Amino acid sequence: MASTGYNEFVMTHAFENVSKFKEDKQYTSNVKEHFNVPWKIGASRMNTHLALFLRCDKLCTDGDWSIDTEFDFKLMS
């Protein structure tokens, strides 16, 4: 079987009571490790905006590397 040259995974997290988020405070999921890389999903409220982020917590200590991501989210009330 030929290598595709990349690895894939899916992470999910449901934030509850988003309307009660405090301004400028970050809310994050627990760390999940995929392919020896630690990841978190996070959210924060800034004024009237909701910021969502996917965070890679691995330091680059052994040469150049990069990660391409696709990030989809759903907002439900």
Side-chain angles (χ1 to χ4, degrees):
M1 188 161 132
S3 172
T4 59
Y6 61 91
N7 298 314
E8 292 185 26
F9 64 91
V10 174
M11 284 186 64
T12 60
H13 184 75
F15 291 100
E16 296 181 3
N17 300 315
V18 173
S19 63
K20 295 180 181 176
F21 277 11
K22 296 193 184 317
E23 178 115 14
D24 294 326
K25 180 178 177 186
Q26 290 189 2
Y27 299 84
T28 60
S29 67
N30 292 329
V31 173
K32 303 281 180 155
E33 195 157 309
H34 295 280
F35 308 105
N36 296 320
V37 178
W39 296 91
K40 288 184 200 175
I41 297 174
S44 63
R45 186 173 72 86
M46 294 182 261
N47 295 317
T48 60
H49 301 290
L50 178 64
L52 300 169
F53 55 92
L54 177 63
R55 180 173 156 174
C56 168
D57 280 346
K58 182 172 180 155
L59 296 176
C60 181
T61 59
D62 53 354
D64 293 336
W65 55 275
S66 66
I67 298 173
D68 293 319
T69 62
E70 288 185 27
F71 188 62
D72 294 320
F73 68 93
K74 294 180 184 177
L75 183 62
M76 301 184 316
S77 63

